[in-house]
Amino acid sequence: MSTVKFDILTNRRNKSGRHPIVLRITSGTYRKYIFSGYYCSKEEWDAETETVTTNYSAKSPSRTLINSYLLRYKSRAQEIHDQFIKDGMPAYTPQQL
């Protein structure tokens, strides 16, 4: 079974102390991270909804811009995932995605 989920990498930080937001693709024992180019702190990330919360304090880019990007990107990744399942490939590698 494969999963596609946004998360933050707490073991990495940029100069301002924020963590990168990544798309985590897991398939069996394979795991791949695709960096989104956006950053936030632990307090600004909601893992349940996979979005940046209203606590987001950076002025640029805006919270709504980040969240809309994450939503579009996850939607596209989910479409590809669903197509793999439909084509009879329930166990694909993250590199194939």
Side-chain angles (χ1 to χ4, degrees):
M1 184 66 189
S2 302
T3 60
V4 177
K5 180 180 178 178
F6 273 104
D7 205 358
I8 59 172
L9 290 182
T10 56
N11 60 340
R12 294 189 182 188
R13 288 188 177 163
N14 65 1
K15 292 178 184 177
S16 64
R18 295 174 180 273
H19 306 286
I21 301 172
V22 296
L23 181 65
R24 185 180 72 201
I25 303 164
T26 308
S27 178
T29 58
Y30 295 107
R31 185 174 286 172
K32 179 162 178 82
Y33 295 101
I34 299 174
F35 289 81
S36 68
Y38 296 112
Y39 295 83
C40 71
S41 67
K42 288 181 189 178
E43 296 78 30
E44 298 168 341
W45 180 251
D46 184 2
E48 218 174 279
T49 61
E50 301 175 27
T51 58
V52 177
T53 64
T54 55
N55 311 15
Y56 187 68
S57 60
K59 295 184 181 184
S60 179
S62 71
R63 178 182 68 85
T64 54
L65 177 77
I66 294 172
N67 286 338
S68 65
Y69 171 81
L70 297 178
L71 183 64
R72 281 193 320 264
Y73 203 87
K74 185 174 181 182
S75 172
R76 180 66 183 133
Q78 193 65 47
E79 286 174 15
I80 294 169
H81 169 76
D82 293 343
Q83 187 64 40
F84 280 153
I85 300 299
K86 184 178 172 185
D87 292 344
M89 290 178 50
Y92 58 86
T93 65
Q95 287 80 10
Q96 289 173 314
L97 185 70

